[in-house]
Amino acid sequence: MSTLPAYFSQYRVNAKNEVLAGLTTALALVPEVVAFALLAHISPLVGIGSAFIICLLTSVFGGRPGMISGAAGSVAVVIVALVEQHGPEYLFAAVVLMGLIQMGVGLLRWGKFIRLVPQPVVFGFVNGLAVIIFMAQLEQFKVASPGGKEHWLSGTPLLLMLGLVALTMAIVYLLPRLTKAIPASLAAIAVVSALVILGGLDTKSVGDIASIAGGLPQPHWPQIPFTWDTLVLVLPYSIIMALVGLTESLLTLTVVDEITDTRGQSNQDCMAQGLANVASGLTGGMGGCAMIGQTMVNLESRGRGRLSGVVAALALALFVVAGSSLIERLPLAALVGVMFTVVISTFEWASLRILRRMPRTDVVVMALVTLVTAVSQNLALAVLLGVVVSALAFAWENAQRIRARKYLDASGAKHYELYGPLFFGSVQAFTEKFDPAADPAEVVIDFRESRVADMSGIDALHKLTERYQRAGKTLHLRHLSPDCRRLLQNAGALIEVNILEDPEYVVATPEG
């Protein structure tokens, strides 16, 4: 964590804006968290309690002020099978193990590898999450029939819902033109809620999803047998949850960095996410991670420091303990309208405007990540696929760039001046450039504009050397960079150093 003065300064970023942003974010968290808890087949109060714990600890200890974490849907979809088949107690143990894995990632400082994620993957991730947030809001346009079957709203209830959503979005977009004294999202929720409650309008409310009245989370040790079989059972779920949670958290951190033009601490955030999930599991809660939708609500409400996340967590606790009767009366249309504005602001519209100017591979990667994220909601899988496809495309492109300029010097030796890296992807093109049968007795490969990048490159040099040896000829390597020299030295018997030739690396020959 940063030095104490710098840390505490993150709580003094315009306190009024931070408090109002936190309240707005808390209101946006309630329906999302309740819905995710029901998706995972656990009590809504468990979801809210988890969100309180996770949001509070990540806001205090996390590496990205302004980012909001909670009981996220991306993690909830992973645990459905575990809860259905073995019950919530095994879930609590899996969440504790998930947190320990995440803390291990932070201790090993692996969070830095998020920098390897290409920009098209980030675009696809953000666009996919925007689609997920949009689709989640559509569930609020359904009602349950007396028989328990859900169906879409129609007629007057649908028109009223759409009208209130439109009013909410209009306030969010228009109010900042008049005043920025309070967050537009909070004002929109207050105005629409007052209109519905005071006007007696019959529309869906938070209480129609589930009651949120209850108490704060209490310490709870998972009631399961602590055996090898239990570990084998929960470990796969914990690993997947840890990867999904860190993927969404670190990519959300990257997005917040871009929006705020600051830089978060990825390894510190891994530790905080892990600590929060351990605490959630030990208080009978579900796992969680950063929530990009609620983070965008916080940022748009001008929440930039740690105080907004702390206020959001404390407000959630207050809602449960003392304000449930009021919160349950809030119209879902107001919260849906706010989330629709979040969808619009989250989606990377710029990625669509530059499609024609982007390389085809980047377009394919972005579309792939968006599709896999939206359809499977497995963020780790989507990002992994995107990174792999990008890496393969990069390797293929660089494999085509290796070139060789050939000439004979005054002594009759033939020189090959290479351009481009020698690695697994370019080995075949490299090998095809040489003609041991027709070349003279002395051949020099000049690496001034090239480098040996991996063991495939060393193996290619070894095989090329053998071809020249069989033809009774000698192969020399010249102008290797220091890292290439170390790589070749580690190859042992493949090469030896000829210090008489300023300095030149010579592939070993039977005479050498």
Side-chain angles (χ1 to χ4, degrees):
M1 187 177 290
S2 56
T3 60
L4 286 179
Y7 172 76
F8 284 112
S9 69
Q10 296 170 343
Y11 288 90
R12 298 193 294 269
V13 182
N14 198 319
K16 186 201 76 171
N17 286 347
E18 292 288 301
V19 171
L20 293 177
L23 291 174
T24 308
T25 303
L27 293 174
L29 272 168
V30 172
E32 298 288 304
V33 169
V34 169
F36 295 150
L38 294 175
L39 172 65
H41 300 285
I42 58 179
S43 166
L45 279 177
V46 171
I48 293 181
S50 304
F52 161 66
I53 294 289
I54 295 171
C55 184
L56 179 62
L57 291 180
T58 55
S59 296
V60 173
F61 299 110
R64 177 62 269 178
M67 189 168 75
I68 302 298
S69 298
S74 55
V75 176
V77 297
V78 176
I79 61 178
V80 174
L82 178 63
V83 176
E84 285 184 333
Q85 297 173 18
H86 303 283
E89 294 295 330
Y90 282 86
L91 165 63
F92 303 150
V95 171
V96 173
L97 186 55
M98 163 196 181
L100 293 175
I101 293 172
Q102 292 177 327
M103 293 178 72
V105 171
L107 286 172
L108 293 171
R109 306 189 69 80
W110 287 351
K112 61 186 177 183
F113 289 113
I114 196 65
R115 302 172 193 167
L116 299 179
V117 177
Q119 192 61 38
V121 176
V122 177
F123 281 158
F125 164 81
V126 172
N127 292 346
L129 282 183
V131 173
I132 291 176
I133 295 170
F134 175 78
M135 298 300 294
Q137 306 316 307
L138 296 183
E139 293 298 314
Q140 311 305 338
F141 289 85
K142 295 180 180 179
V143 291
S145 62
K149 186 176 181 181
E150 286 191 337
H151 61 85
W152 293 97
L153 288 172
S154 60
T156 301
L158 176 60
L159 294 176
L160 177 59
M161 184 86 165
L162 291 173
L164 293 173
V165 169
L167 176 60
T168 302
M169 296 178 69
I171 294 174
V172 170
Y173 284 121
L174 298 177
L175 183 63
R177 300 182 181 182
L178 300 176
T179 178
K180 295 184 179 180
I182 60 173
S185 297
L186 180 60
I189 294 172
V191 170
V192 174
S193 298
L195 178 63
V196 170
I197 295 173
L198 298 179
L201 301 180
D202 185 16
T203 187
K204 288 186 67 177
S205 63
V206 173
D208 292 329
I209 304 177
S211 173
I212 63 169
L216 296 177
Q218 300 295 321
H220 176 82
W221 190 255
Q223 301 301 303
I224 58 172
F226 288 89
T227 63
W228 177 257
D229 290 338
T230 300
L231 177 62
V232 171
L233 173 65
V234 302
L235 182 59
Y237 291 97
S238 298
I239 293 174
I240 295 173
M241 286 193 293
L243 292 177
V244 169
L246 288 182
T247 300
E248 182 165 1
S249 297
L250 294 179
L251 285 179
T252 301
L253 181 148
T254 301
V255 173
V256 177
D257 283 355
E258 294 177 357
I259 293 174
T260 60
D261 196 24
T262 57
R263 183 172 178 179
Q265 302 298 319
S266 56
N267 292 309
Q268 181 180 332
D269 206 69
C270 291
M271 290 291 296
Q273 295 287 340
L275 175 64
N277 280 302
V278 169
S280 178
L282 292 178
T283 53
M286 59 188 288
C289 62
M291 304 175 71
I292 194 168
Q294 281 64 33
T295 298
M296 293 301 295
V297 170
N298 187 49
L299 295 178
E300 291 177 1
S301 301
R302 301 193 295 281
R304 293 293 187 273
R306 296 184 183 273
L307 185 59
S308 58
V310 172
V311 170
L314 296 178
L316 279 178
L318 185 62
F319 294 164
V320 170
V321 174
S324 59
S325 59
L326 175 61
I327 299 302
E328 289 174 7
R329 296 181 67 187
L330 294 181
L332 284 172
L335 303 176
V336 169
V338 169
M339 295 310 295
F340 276 165
T341 62
V342 168
V343 169
I344 294 172
S345 60
T346 300
F347 195 91
E348 285 284 358
W349 301 103
S351 65
L352 300 182
R353 291 194 296 270
I354 63 175
L355 275 180
R356 293 183 179 180
R357 299 194 295 272
M358 290 174 64
R360 290 183 180 179
T361 303
D362 289 350
V363 174
V364 170
V365 168
M366 185 177 69
L368 175 66
V369 175
T370 299
L371 184 63
V372 174
T373 300
V375 173
S376 71
Q377 297 190 19
N378 188 330
L379 306 181
L381 174 62
V383 172
L384 177 62
L385 284 176
V387 171
V388 168
V389 172
S390 296
L392 290 176
F394 176 79
W396 175 259
E397 181 180 351
N398 278 273
Q400 309 306 309
R401 290 182 176 178
I402 192 163
R403 299 286 187 271
R405 176 176 173 266
K406 310 169 188 177
Y407 68 91
L408 293 174
D409 64 16
S411 64
K414 188 171 184 178
H415 293 249
Y416 289 83
E417 292 184 344
L418 289 185
Y419 300 87
L422 177 57
F423 70 115
F424 69 91
S426 60
V427 162
Q428 182 175 351
F430 167 80
T431 305
E432 292 173 350
K433 298 183 183 303
F434 297 88
D435 187 1
D439 281 348
E442 295 288 327
V443 175
V444 178
I445 304 179
D446 193 330
F447 282 87
R448 187 189 302 272
E449 301 295 334
S450 181
R451 63 187 300 270
V452 184
D454 59 11
M455 287 303 299
S456 295
I458 290 179
D459 184 63
L461 288 174
H462 179 61
K463 291 177 179 177
L464 185 63
T465 301
E466 290 181 334
R467 291 171 61 192
Y468 278 100
Q469 287 176 352
R470 288 194 297 268
K473 301 171 183 179
T474 305
L475 183 66
H476 304 272
L477 308 181
R478 178 175 292 166
H479 292 139
L480 287 161
S481 62
D483 59 330
C484 294
R485 295 177 187 178
R486 286 192 297 271
L487 187 63
L488 290 172
Q489 283 176 331
N490 291 337
L494 182 58
I495 62 110
E496 64 181 20
V497 181
N498 187 343
I499 60 174
L500 300 177
E501 298 189 19
D502 185 32
E504 182 175 280
Y505 277 67
V506 182
V507 178
T509 64
E511 296 77 20

